[in-house]
Amino acid sequence: MIAMEKETTIDSPAEAEAPPPRRRVVRRVRAQNLPLVPMGEAVVFPSMELTIQINSPRSLRALDAALRDHRRVVLAARHVEEEDGESVEGLVPVGCLASITDIQALPGGGQRVSIQGVKRVRLRKVTQEDPYFRVDALELPDKTTDGEQMQDLMARVVSQIDTYVSLVPGITNEVGNFVRGIDDPGRLADMSAYSPDYTFEERQELLETQDVAERLTKVSGFMLRLIELAAIRQKVQEEVHAGVEKSQRDFFLREQIKVLRKELGENDPETALIDEFRGKIEQGRMPEAVKAKALNEVERLQLQGPHSPESGMIRAYLDWLVELPWGITTEDSLDLDRAAAILDEDHYGLEKVKERILEYIAVRKLAGDRMRSPILCFVGPPGVGKTSLGRSIARALGRQSVRISLGGVRDEAEIRGHRRTYVGALPGRVLRGMRDAKSCNPIFILDEIDKVGTDFRGDPSSALLEVLDPEQNHAFSDHYLEVPFDLSKTIFVTTANLLDPIPPALQDRMEVIELPGYTDDEKVRIAQDFLLPKQRDAHGLTADQLVLDDSAMHSLVHEYTREAGVRNLERELANLCRKVARKAASSAEAESQVWRLTASDLPAYLGPRRFTHGLAEERDEVGVATGVAVTQAGGDVMAVEVILMPGTGQLSLTGQLGKVMQESAQAAVSYARGRSADWKLDDKYFDQHNIHIHVPAGAVPKDGPSAGTAMATALISALLQRAVRRDVAMTGEITLRGKVLAIGGLKEKALAVDRAGITTFLFPRDNEKDLVDVPEKVRQHLRLMPVDHLDKVFSVGLVEQFGI
Ligand code: ADP
């Protein structure tokens, strides 16, 4: 059985304690025992008329009983999901007494019942379950008061209902009129429950509210929610509607534009694009043949629909054609003084290069365009200013500059482009560079020309030949472009670390200018006058804020870097500027502070000194001689080690020595063997010993004949057990008769020897002519000794030892 309200009184105790002042109706009624039809979540109000369908046998029996007893029945909702008239579980405490006005049998046994709600009733007790439910029901009359407050409440609810009706499409205004016609406030509140938007809980709450003012207040609250909901619904509706309208409108407009364009003879954007291409081609300065080809392509584009894949390719091709600087040249500035000033402004020293550039300007001034553009090739270790010189030339001449790097280029197509039939084809790097230059007479810097490789994809250097050859480059053909492009007005500047790897055919076409590296003093000047100001500027420091004296610069050059160029030096200076800039930015006082740094301050900023002594060996040793090599990083000293051990006369060579170097080693051994009698060595000595020659660092490949003297010296030192002087370095190719032959790169080698802190440098007498290249400063403190025979090398290089 369900739990029901207390039986005794109509009112709850709280209501009974506070007697209302002007009660219209105060009646005590007896409970009536009536048939009950339990419903689902449906709430019937007094004065409501509605039709319900009854199927449950128990409820049908209840209806029968009702028809027999004044047609009265109690309808009450249940808090259940499934409607089922067979149970009273979850029955609400307040229902509605209704009168049956009509009843119709339905096929299948059910009944359609028309009812009229009569009054609220409190369900006190279910008194019977079988064969149908009966309940003791107590009438709950409206508790109402007259007065302004009630009128106001009614007016508010009526106007809310009006608003609501206006917001919900499908409710006619009649509802508003009907509501206005109700003058009983309780009925007004009950009628509002016709709204389909009330929830079951809201309806039931209204039914259970006996106090009319309270009921109306609740209705007002519910209406507010409904109005808000309806307003949102309406807004969404409007937006959806507006969206549909806009797209329709756009469609019509677009159609109209099409029609208008047709009238004007300019079909669509595609036509505009085609006209744009045509205009650019006709107004540009393409050679006639190229123009004809371009217009041809435009025609092809026009025939293709805008959506064909071909049209994208044609468009890309035309873009390239019109973007290249056909016939566009910049005016050269041929003022020699100005050019000289600019070159000096950008670079310290490098007199030979600067002179060559000024000569070019002078000749050009006299000969005009008849003169062929030179192809300069700067060869030297990294960081000696090869690339930046190229830029500086452009500035001096007032030309544009572009740079491409050829390092690692192995595919001819990188230079000359892919044919247009390839997907994603592009012109080669040369023409891409020309497009960026926006003029056809720029300074074109080809970096790292010695790093161009060759493999199955073709030989890029043959394409480069065509680029650089003045006989051919007026009509350079790119696979993608298909039409020739004139490169003859371009000045090409190439850079390389080494000359050897450049194919001879390319070398022939270039004017090689060597930049062998700087002495310490030159580096200090470059750092003071160029690199430091540049880095200070880049880090937002003023010239007064950071000053390094020459001792600091020397320390940077000597103890923090070891290189032929100034790249690491510049990096260290940048490092220093960064550290100072950080301090300066930390406070207002620090900003006005001056940093005057000397050598001893540097470790605090840059960490401990990296190179604390020269590369010279630390003491005179047996079997170790100091040779000199020229590598990509400039000249460098290298130790040549020899040891002898009992064996069978084998020669081992380690340290990644190239073929030529291995032959030098063999020559040194043969020479020593040939002279063994002079040194009083046993005849069988060489058959009973193995010789191992090693040149560290083992992982770096080395080659060339110039280590011959050093190998021979180390070998003789080991054979005679006489130490080699650590302060002597040597270079030179040797013959089997002990003659010392000329080598290349004397200047780089002299610089490297000087850098390593060695005092005597033995070099082939044939190279004496190159001494002029060695900077004065180096010549002053390095003993440069020309030698023509190994005997002389030994006599200087080996430590005197009496008794042998
Ligand atoms: P490379 O191309 O030879 O490797 P870079 O042209 O990149 O060297 O030069 C490295 C840096 O050193 C650049 O900032 C350059 O301006 C500077 N530099 C090199 N040589 C000089 C010089 N003689 N005077 C002034 N700055 C120089």
Side-chain angles (χ1 to χ4, degrees):
M1 276 265 79
I2 49 158
M4 300 295 273
E5 288 273 311
K6 278 192 276 173
E7 286 182 29
T8 46
T9 53
I10 313 165
D11 300 326
S12 69
E15 284 165 334
E17 272 166 30
R22 287 181 291 139
R23 271 228 177 127
R24 225 209 262 167
V25 187
V26 184
R27 284 190 284 154
R28 201 162 263 276
V29 249
R30 267 192 311 120
Q32 304 180 52
N33 189 262
L34 292 168
L36 165 72
V37 171
M39 322 239 284
E41 292 189 337
V43 185
V44 181
F45 283 84
S47 69
M48 247 184 198
E49 290 171 27
L50 71 164
T51 306
I52 52 177
Q53 196 174 323
I54 305 286
N55 294 318
S56 123
R58 225 184 274 244
S59 294
L60 288 174
R61 284 193 288 270
L63 282 180
D64 268 352
L67 287 176
R68 276 178 267 121
D69 180 13
H70 301 95
R71 306 176 86 95
R72 291 180 313 162
V73 65
V74 173
L75 301 172
R78 293 196 304 138
H79 288 286
V80 287
E81 271 173 26
E82 287 282 309
E83 181 176 349
D84 175 19
E86 295 296 301
S87 160
V88 286
E89 195 186 327
L91 197 70
V92 295
V94 176
C96 185
L97 190 153
S99 156
I100 299 167
T101 54
D102 190 20
I103 192 158
Q104 282 176 1
L106 289 173
Q111 304 264 21
R112 180 179 295 135
V113 190
S114 300
I115 50 147
Q116 160 87 53
V118 180
K119 50 182 121 173
R120 289 175 160 69
V121 285
R122 181 173 297 279
L123 312 184
R124 291 185 54 192
K125 190 176 184 179
V126 175
T127 56
Q128 173 191 312
E129 286 185 36
D130 287 316
Y132 59 91
F133 294 116
R134 287 191 78 89
V135 66
D136 271 353
L138 203 62
E139 185 190 342
L140 286 183
D142 281 358
K143 287 189 209 161
T144 181
T145 49
D146 286 329
E148 255 176 51
Q149 191 205 0
M150 190 62 84
Q151 292 303 322
D152 285 352
L153 260 174
M154 279 182 77
R156 183 158 95 209
V157 168
V158 168
S159 107
Q160 281 177 328
I161 290 176
D162 266 346
T163 313
Y164 174 61
V165 166
S166 73
L167 284 172
V168 181
I171 304 186
T172 56
N173 278 346
E174 278 169 40
V175 174
N177 293 336
F178 168 70
V179 170
R180 256 186 293 273
I182 302 174
D183 51 10
D184 177 57
R187 196 163 163 251
L188 175 66
D190 289 351
M191 281 303 177
S192 80
Y194 269 119
S195 162
D197 292 330
Y198 275 6
T199 62
F200 163 65
E201 282 75 18
E202 283 170 347
R203 278 178 228 273
Q204 185 62 31
E205 197 180 334
L206 286 186
L207 187 67
E208 288 177 18
T209 309
Q210 203 179 349
D211 187 299
V212 175
E214 194 184 330
R215 201 187 303 159
L216 268 179
T217 311
K218 281 186 179 161
V219 167
S220 175
F222 297 159
M223 285 317 289
L224 270 183
R225 181 180 76 80
L226 294 191
I227 288 170
E228 221 163 275
L229 205 75
I232 292 172
R233 264 195 220 135
Q234 193 186 36
K235 195 160 164 246
V236 171
Q237 278 289 330
E238 276 170 10
E239 275 170 14
V240 169
H241 195 60
V244 172
E245 274 190 346
K246 186 175 179 316
S247 67
Q248 271 178 351
R249 187 175 144 263
D250 288 358
F251 175 76
F252 282 122
L253 282 179
R254 240 179 258 126
E255 288 299 301
Q256 278 179 342
I257 290 173
K258 266 193 197 162
V259 174
L260 289 176
R261 280 228 172 94
K262 215 170 192 170
E263 286 293 308
L264 291 168
E266 35 171 271
N267 279 341
D268 50 276
E270 197 64 14
T271 321
L273 182 82
I274 283 171
D275 288 347
E276 195 185 326
F277 275 135
R278 210 171 258 140
K280 279 187 183 165
I281 293 164
E282 267 153 15
Q283 281 150 32
R285 293 207 233 153
M286 291 178 184
E288 284 310 316
V290 179
K291 213 172 252 188
K293 161 102 180 156
L295 289 174
N296 214 346
E297 290 291 321
V298 172
E299 221 131 88
R300 244 164 46 95
L301 180 62
Q302 207 163 10
L303 289 180
Q304 307 279 341
H307 303 299
S308 91
E310 186 88 346
S311 87
M313 280 159 71
I314 301 176
R315 230 180 296 167
Y317 176 71
L318 282 169
D319 272 337
W320 271 104
L321 272 187
V322 298
E323 276 181 26
L324 281 171
W326 302 96
I328 300 173
T329 52
T330 53
E331 187 81 18
D332 276 356
S333 127
L334 298 176
D335 179 343
L336 281 172
D337 293 339
R338 183 179 160 272
I342 290 179
L343 292 176
D344 284 339
E345 204 173 288
D346 290 348
H347 290 91
Y348 172 87
L350 304 174
E351 304 307 336
K352 252 207 237 167
V353 193
K354 289 179 182 169
E355 214 147 281
R356 177 66 190 83
I357 295 159
L358 294 177
E359 278 164 21
Y360 168 78
I361 297 177
V363 176
R364 199 178 150 86
K365 209 167 169 178
L366 298 180
D369 278 341
R370 274 172 293 148
M371 184 203 166
R372 272 186 186 162
S373 301
I375 300 160
L376 301 177
C377 176
F378 296 143
V379 179
V384 292
K386 299 182 297 292
T387 314
S388 68
L389 252 176
R391 295 236 159 79
S392 187
I393 296 173
R395 212 158 79 83
L397 276 171
R399 292 195 181 198
Q400 302 287 344
S401 74
V402 274
R403 168 185 170 270
I404 63 172
S405 175
L406 297 174
V409 168
R410 294 179 174 279
D411 188 351
E412 191 195 353
E414 294 258 0
I415 308 290
R416 219 197 265 282
H418 284 286
R419 293 193 189 284
R420 267 211 282 160
T421 43
Y422 283 81
V423 175
L426 275 183
R429 293 190 190 202
V430 175
L431 284 193
R432 276 186 267 161
M434 292 308 285
R435 180 198 55 179
D436 295 345
K438 297 194 173 67
S439 81
C440 67
N441 64 340
I443 304 287
F444 203 121
I445 304 167
L446 299 164
D447 252 344
E448 307 194 311
I449 198 164
D450 54 337
K451 310 273 190 324
V452 173
T454 303
D455 69 8
F456 61 93
R457 281 165 293 188
D459 182 1
S461 55
S462 70
L464 278 178
L465 264 181
E466 197 183 319
V467 172
L468 297 178
D469 188 351
E471 301 295 333
Q472 300 181 48
N473 72 6
H474 62 271
F476 172 69
S477 70
D478 183 282
H479 288 324
Y480 180 82
L481 211 63
E482 293 170 359
V483 288
F485 190 87
D486 183 1
L487 294 174
S488 64
K489 296 196 173 65
T490 306
I491 295 184
F492 287 98
V493 172
T494 63
T495 79
N497 291 137
L498 295 174
L499 199 54
D500 289 346
I502 306 177
L506 268 180
Q507 282 190 37
D508 273 359
R509 282 169 177 75
M510 304 190 289
E511 194 177 322
V512 174
I513 297 177
E514 299 203 16
L515 303 172
Y518 301 111
T519 63
D520 286 358
D521 289 337
E522 283 172 332
K523 287 187 195 172
V524 169
R525 287 273 52 86
I526 293 174
Q528 285 291 25
D529 300 343
F530 296 86
L531 307 180
L532 180 59
K534 196 156 83 182
Q535 290 305 327
R536 257 193 319 232
D537 234 31
H539 289 84
L541 296 167
T542 63
D544 305 329
Q545 252 173 319
L546 173 63
V547 182
L548 271 77
D549 72 358
D550 279 359
S551 79
M553 285 299 185
H554 264 291
S555 164
L556 275 179
V557 165
H558 222 71
E559 294 168 325
Y560 285 91
T561 61
R562 171 159 298 146
E563 57 180 348
V566 292
R567 192 167 288 169
N568 288 324
L569 181 59
E570 186 168 24
R571 207 168 287 147
E572 290 302 330
L573 281 169
N575 216 339
L576 200 63
C577 287
R578 219 165 36 240
K579 300 253 152 70
V580 170
R582 184 162 168 211
K583 289 192 178 183
S586 67
S587 72
E589 287 155 47
E591 206 172 340
S592 53
Q593 198 179 328
V594 179
W595 278 269
R596 260 175 223 293
L597 306 184
T598 64
S600 56
D601 299 323
L602 292 183
Y605 290 85
L606 302 177
R609 299 183 175 98
R610 259 158 253 159
F611 307 97
T612 45
H613 47 79
L615 258 191
E617 296 297 319
E618 287 181 31
R619 51 200 158 81
D620 300 341
E621 270 189 76
V622 171
V624 182
T626 308
V628 196
V630 177
T631 66
Q632 301 211 351
D636 209 350
V637 294
M638 61 180 182
V640 177
E641 300 175 344
V642 175
I643 62 165
L644 303 165
M645 51 210 143
T648 55
Q650 278 176 9
L651 172 64
S652 341
L653 301 166
T654 53
Q656 289 221 43
L657 311 187
K659 217 166 174 174
V660 181
M661 210 156 173
Q662 292 184 16
E663 286 169 7
S664 297
Q666 271 155 2
V669 172
S670 299
Y671 173 75
R673 245 187 130 143
R675 297 221 22 211
S676 55
D678 293 351
W679 293 317
K680 302 189 181 67
L681 288 173
D682 185 351
D683 265 357
K684 301 218 174 61
Y685 186 90
F686 284 96
D687 296 328
Q688 291 164 351
H689 287 85
N690 288 348
I691 303 172
H692 186 167
I693 302 182
H694 178 68
V695 186
V700 182
K702 316 165 191 78
D703 205 1
S706 68
T709 48
M711 291 202 203
T713 308
L715 180 62
I716 300 303
S717 156
L719 285 170
L720 304 186
Q721 287 298 301
R722 270 174 70 180
V724 185
R725 280 173 51 186
R726 59 181 279 274
D727 55 354
V728 174
M730 57 203 73
T731 183
E733 183 175 351
I734 52 167
T735 69
L736 288 178
R737 286 164 296 140
K739 280 186 64 136
V740 177
L741 303 182
I743 46 87
L746 186 73
K747 181 185 168 185
E748 286 92 332
K749 289 179 174 172
L751 285 177
V753 170
D754 189 37
R755 219 170 18 242
I758 290 167
T759 53
T760 305
F761 181 35
L762 308 180
F763 66 96
R765 188 173 294 283
D766 293 346
N767 283 103
E768 262 186 310
K769 60 178 182 349
D770 301 328
L771 272 182
V772 286
D773 291 339
V774 177
E776 182 59 36
K777 197 90 184 181
V778 175
R779 269 187 279 164
Q780 275 169 17
H781 50 77
L782 187 63
R783 213 169 121 223
L784 286 151
M785 286 183 64
V787 290
D788 41 24
H789 198 275
L790 274 177
D791 284 345
K792 177 76 174 170
V793 176
F794 299 153
S795 72
V796 178
L798 297 181
V799 175
E800 277 307 324
Q801 208 164 0
F802 298 102
I804 295 180

